[in-house]
């Protein structure tokens, strides 16, 4: 399939020539998202925030909110995020990487991973932040109601 091989070669060349530009764009988008996340959820933990890391990935936890519960709430809102690392998808166990970083188990169990791509825009991040606002508020209100009833 020579046309497909040629197209793949052209796409690979384009990606190589534009990878630094795209990495800077994604890093700015990720950093803006994390700034808004921290302002909306002051107790949020952003993993690796002050370390060199992938430009397209943000990993965070909101204390008191389990990843499983937040994943379901965001999915119902039409938002796709993950918990843990890509290499451990489908596993319920806390991340061994966060464990090695010394992250407390109850925080590690709330870890959410957001991956950005070439189609990601600021409007996507705003939708995610709005979804987080609603979902965390709903989760916290349920938790308060349960604690009050007990």
């Amino acid at each position: 399939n020579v046309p497909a091989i040629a197209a793949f070669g052209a796409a690979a060349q384009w990606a190589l020539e534009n990878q630094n530009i795209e990495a800077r764009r994604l890093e700015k988008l990720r950093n803006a998202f994390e700034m808004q996340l921290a302002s909306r959820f002051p107790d949020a933990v952003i993993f690796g925030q002050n370390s060199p890391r992938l430009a397209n990935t943000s990993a965070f936890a909101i204390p008191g909110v389990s990843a499983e519960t937040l994943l379901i709430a965001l999915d119902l809102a039409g938002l796709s995020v993950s918990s843990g690392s890509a290499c451990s998808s489908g596993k319920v166990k806390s991340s061994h990487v966060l464990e090695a970083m010394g992250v407390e188990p109850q925080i590690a169990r709330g870890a959410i991973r957001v991956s950005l791509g070439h189609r990601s825009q600021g409007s996507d991040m705003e939708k995610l932040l709005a979804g987080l606002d609603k979902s965390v508020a709903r989760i916290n209100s349920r938790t308060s109601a349960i604690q009050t009833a007990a």
Side-chain angles (χ1 to χ4, degrees), residues 17-34:
E17 291 169 358
N18 291 284
Q19 69 183 349
N20 290 333
I21 294 167
E22 183 64 359
R24 284 192 298 273
R25 184 187 78 81
L26 291 174
E27 184 176 35
K28 283 176 66 176
L29 195 59
R30 179 203 67 204
N31 291 346
F33 165 75
E34 289 177 350

Side-chain angles (χ1 to χ4, degrees), residues 68-99:
E68 182 179 12
T69 304
L70 189 52
L71 283 173
I72 292 168
L74 291 173
D75 183 55
L76 291 172
L79 299 161
S80 298
V81 297
S82 301
S83 70
S85 65
C87 59
S88 66
S89 64
K91 296 179 184 174
V92 178
K93 188 178 168 197
S94 293
S95 165
H96 67 282
V97 173
L98 294 178
E99 184 179 310

